[in-house]
């Protein structure tokens, strides 16, 4: 399995698929970290829903008709109700569906603390895509990423728990930051030419390494995550498009 | 009353004030629209709390000790617990305090729809400060603002209610977008040289004008809002600092 999975996407001119009733529908793009946040929440809660992959470079007309800005992820509920923004969709799914478990703490203060963490973490990593969308120096881009990781290392040190959400299972906050961590091994391999991400990160970010190992053992992450090889293939394909074939 | 109110701010070197116990404390800056969001929520819910104004150009040392990034608004709870980010503080206050009334709808979907609206509206207006912090063309900056207002006009047309939150009272969504609307008359006066903002806006944005009139009649807005003259004085002071005395 590799990038050929992109061939299954709905494109300009595709007919709108028929949909099962009474379950939510997710409009997705396979390699988008924001979309992955929603899939992780769905997997952790074991919510029954349907996913449709959209070609983000050639979106089908029917998708714009229901979601004028054409954003993914989008969640469609009965009656054509649409929600966008990954954190808002994730919070909605946790509130509206009991599912296997609740992913936000009951305590309002702790819930907001976690929210501040994942919102800030999302901002720190919003430059991630520059690796394959800009010609900026890769080592400088990686320095920004390492700076963001130091925030995580500090948070893990302060909390002293296996996950940010506690010792038992990951909570919303863990799933909402995971997609960027999942892509780190591929990025370290490409930029730092180091295949062993644990070795690379362990001297400065030992708690982050342990955290990532625990997350990789979680059943929702196992179900949703792509392998390091697929991420590397995806990054390299796009890096070569923008930075040249000889990269 | 005018800009001299800024003299009451806590500055570098100021001693930390003693605080009342068992109520939340808000760290504030008088003319910040994000801070105003929090004050509107507090006023609408009639929450008992204390406000301390921080000089954002010379923040006191004790403020950084409790809030390392030095951001305002910040909310301090018992035990030195700190929350930041205006929308998160607002949502926390609504969840943790019953107060006079609840400001978010019970329905999870409608709650998320309103959240998407105020998050997007905040982004559209995040360029507002460029009016007095950059030298960019004022007419171009105003065109961006008008573009944001057209989203509000469309939302009001779709909903057909007095407030975005319904016909009775403003809800969270209304209070969280209000601070930028409150500053429109001053901005129209400065950039468009038109003292009558209702006249200026009425041809293209009639529902926005009616909405602003209803909001100005709300008791929380009445309690928190500054007058158009004070806003104009504040804008002009900063515009002259950056764009020159002859403006």
């Amino acid at each position: 399995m590799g990038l050929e999975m992109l061939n299954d996407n709905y494109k300009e001119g595709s007919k709108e698929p028929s949909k099962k009733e009474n379950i939510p529908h997710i409009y997705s793009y396979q390699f988008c970290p924001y979309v992955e946040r929603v899939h992780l929440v769905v997997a952790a809660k074991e919510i029954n829903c349907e996913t449709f992959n959209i070609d983000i470079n050639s979106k089908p007309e029917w998708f714009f008709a229901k979601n004028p800005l054409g954003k993914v992820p989008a969640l469609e509920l009965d009656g054509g109700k649409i929600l966008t923004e990954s954190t808002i969709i994730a919070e909605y799914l946790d509130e509206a569906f009991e599912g296997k478990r609740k992913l936000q703490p009951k305590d309002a203060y702790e819930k907001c603390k976690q929210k501040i963490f994942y919102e800030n973490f999302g901002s720190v990593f919003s430059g991630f895509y520059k690796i394959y969308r800009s010609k900026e120096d890769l080592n400088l881009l990686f320095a920004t990423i390492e700076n963001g990781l130091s925030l995580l290392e500090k948070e893990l040190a302060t909390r002293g728990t296996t996950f940010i959400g506690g010792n038992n299972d990951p909570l919303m906050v863990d799933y909402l930051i995971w997609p960027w961590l999942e892509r780190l091994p591929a990025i370290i391999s490409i930029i730092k030419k180091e295949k062993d991400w644990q070795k690379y990160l362990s001297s400065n970010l030992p708690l982050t390494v342990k955290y990532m190992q625990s997350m990789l053992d979680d059943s929702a992450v196992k179900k949703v995550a792509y392998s390091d090889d697929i991420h590397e293939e995806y990054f390299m394909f796009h890096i070569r498009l923008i930075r040249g074939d000889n990269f």
Side-chain angles (χ1 to χ4, degrees), chain A:
Chain A
M1 193 175 76
L3 292 191
E4 70 273 17
M5 69 174 81
L6 291 173
N7 295 331
D8 294 333
N9 289 347
Y10 287 89
K11 293 178 175 55
E12 218 179 302
S14 316
K15 217 181 120 193
E16 181 173 356
S18 63
K19 293 196 291 284
K20 291 185 196 156
E21 281 179 28
N22 302 320
I23 57 168
H25 313 286
I26 298 170
Y27 297 98
S28 172
Y29 176 70
Q30 288 95 323
F31 291 101
C32 169
Y34 297 98
V35 168
E36 188 178 347
R37 288 172 147 186
V38 174
H39 287 302
L40 286 164
V41 167
V42 164
K45 292 180 73 73
E46 298 184 1
I47 297 172
N48 183 21
C49 64
E50 239 180 353
T51 292
F52 302 102
N53 292 317
I54 301 293
D55 185 334
I56 52 170
N57 297 310
S58 156
K59 293 173 183 165
E61 295 73 7
W62 54 262
F63 185 58
F64 281 107
K66 59 179 75 211
N67 180 19
L69 296 177
K71 281 186 178 178
V72 294
L75 186 77
E76 184 174 13
L77 304 165
D78 283 345
K81 290 176 177 175
I82 292 277
L83 289 176
T84 53
E85 307 300 330
S86 62
T87 58
I88 292 176
I89 293 172
E91 289 161 12
Y92 170 80
L93 290 171
D94 197 42
E95 279 187 37
F97 293 82
E98 190 59 42
K100 194 186 169 196
R101 57 193 172 106
K102 284 286 182 183
L103 297 179
Q104 294 178 98
K106 283 211 183 82
D107 178 72
Y109 173 76
E110 177 57 22
K111 186 170 124 182
C112 287
K113 280 298 278 187
Q114 295 185 9
K115 203 201 245 325
I116 292 169
F117 190 78
Y118 61 70
E119 296 281 2
N120 284 343
F121 202 83
S123 312
V124 165
F125 281 81
S126 60
F128 221 86
Y129 71 94
K130 285 185 182 168
I131 290 171
Y132 55 87
R133 285 281 174 88
S134 79
K135 290 186 175 176
E136 289 178 43
D137 183 82
L138 288 171
N139 281 298
L140 286 181
L141 290 175
F142 196 78
T144 310
I145 290 173
E146 281 187 311
N147 190 38
L149 291 173
S150 68
L151 295 179
L152 173 61
E153 187 76 9
K154 208 172 142 190
E155 185 77 14
L156 291 166
T158 307
R159 291 183 177 261
T161 46
T162 308
F163 304 106
I164 297 178
N167 283 317
N168 298 329
D169 283 302
L171 284 189
M172 183 79 97
V173 58
D174 299 293
Y175 292 123
L176 294 195
I177 69 170
W178 172 254
W180 290 272
L181 300 174
E182 182 184 314
R183 285 152 178 78
L184 272 181
I187 287 173
I188 290 169
S189 169
I190 294 168
I191 301 181
K192 299 295 170 185
K193 314 287 180 213
E194 171 58 80
K195 282 282 172 197
D196 185 345
W197 62 271
Q198 305 187 48
K199 186 176 147 201
Y200 181 81
L201 293 176
S202 61
S203 52
N204 290 323
L205 302 162
L207 299 176
T208 300
V209 171
K210 222 176 137 199
Y211 174 70
M212 285 173 64
Q213 288 163 339
S214 304
M215 286 297 287
L216 285 165
D217 274 342
D218 174 71
S219 61
V221 170
K222 278 189 173 155
K223 195 173 164 196
V224 170
Y226 292 117
S227 71
D228 297 347
D229 287 346
I230 288 191
H231 280 304
E232 193 167 339
E233 187 185 345
Y234 183 79
F235 274 112
M236 284 309 297
F237 176 78
H238 287 277
I239 284 176
R240 288 196 178 114
L241 274 184
I242 196 92
R243 293 175 192 258
D245 277 345
N246 296 324
F247 186 86

